[in-house]
Amino acid sequence: ERTPTVAFPPILKDVFISVKTTAGFHRTRLDVVLKTWFTMAKDQTWIFTDVDDPYYQEKTGNHMVNTNCSSSHSRKALNCKMSVEFDTYLRSDKKWFCHFDDDNYVNIPRLGEVLELYDSGKDWYLGKTSIKTPLEFVSKNNGKDVSFWFATGGAGFCLSRSLALKMVPHASGGRFIRIGEKIRLPDDVTMGYIIEHLLGKNLTVIEGFHSHLEPMQFLNPDSFHEQITFGYNVNGTARNVLRIDGFSTLEDPTRFLSLHCFLFPEFAPCPR
Ligand code: UDP
Ligand code: MN
């Protein structure tokens, strides 16, 4: 017998979830997101893109935001999108801001369980680093060394409201873009720079966040329930996907459908 009970921690209704995408990835990446984890967090999840797309606007229940940022993969365009995500979060009344990429699977109940462990009234920057040492550069202003950690955007990260409010003078209303241009680094690195270097708050490393920078095939299925995010890379020869039974590679190239049905077999579109 199946047990159709998934515990959704109450905190989830207080989480603002943003997903970064771009015109060219709506069909190739958003489809599987909308079929899987998005269905478990429709009300609090918003998709940030760079065009008006009536088809996906409808599919997301009007949860798509056209940032009007350029659709190039330039640093400025990506910083622009993050700045719109952040400003939109601030206008919401949610206790947490969590950012993900469109090639992430988010284990929604687990995200809630983990956030329940932290007080959103305190300053929290939760995520996972992808480099072994802090990022370092020499300041052009004063020649001093700048050194800080940042959470890889491709693995997802969360900020408490308390921290987000302290970031307002640096990050709101387009100031995020200006800082990104000044230090000439991508959006997730800019985020780390603002939080760790400018505000002096530390990243808390949460092992459950995963991006496709990690080899997905080594994640043990016994631990899937405990993980918060997963990734994939199916471009070219360097295929990096979860090792999991389920749908065929043709039906499920990213393995996210199979993962979803492994975690939540009672959910559509899982075979019964
Ligand atoms: N992305 C974007 N604009 C672009 C290219 C990518 O907004 O022109 C988004 C994409 O949808 C994804 C994130 O940026 O959410 C990272 O892109 P991708 O996975 O292609 O690259 P990665 O940095 O992971 O190698
Ligand atoms: Mn990616």
Side-chain angles (χ1 to χ4, degrees), residues 15-34:
V15 185
F16 180 96
I17 298 177
S18 74
V19 178
K20 175 172 65 177
T21 191
T22 185
F25 289 156
H26 291 179
R27 194 180 52 77
T28 51
R29 294 191 183 186
L30 267 193
D31 256 1
V32 71
V33 166
L34 298 183

Side-chain angles (χ1 to χ4, degrees), residues 69-129:
C69 299
S70 134
S71 61
S72 72
H73 197 165
S74 66
R75 182 182 63 236
K76 198 164 182 182
L78 297 179
N79 278 319
C80 172
K81 233 170 244 174
M82 182 63 79
S83 118
V84 177
E85 289 176 48
F86 185 73
D87 284 347
T88 310
Y89 164 68
L90 288 175
R91 287 195 302 272
S92 80
D93 54 358
K94 306 285 190 201
K95 291 181 175 161
W96 291 95
F97 168 55
C98 296
H99 161 96
F100 303 101
D101 278 358
D102 56 7
D103 51 3
N104 281 139
Y105 179 96
V106 184
N107 183 356
I108 292 293
R110 184 61 183 158
L111 176 67
E113 278 174 19
V114 172
L115 292 180
E116 296 264 4
L117 303 174
Y118 300 89
D119 177 358
S120 65
K122 301 230 162 71
D123 300 331
W124 291 110
Y125 174 31
L126 309 176
K128 176 108 110 4
T129 56

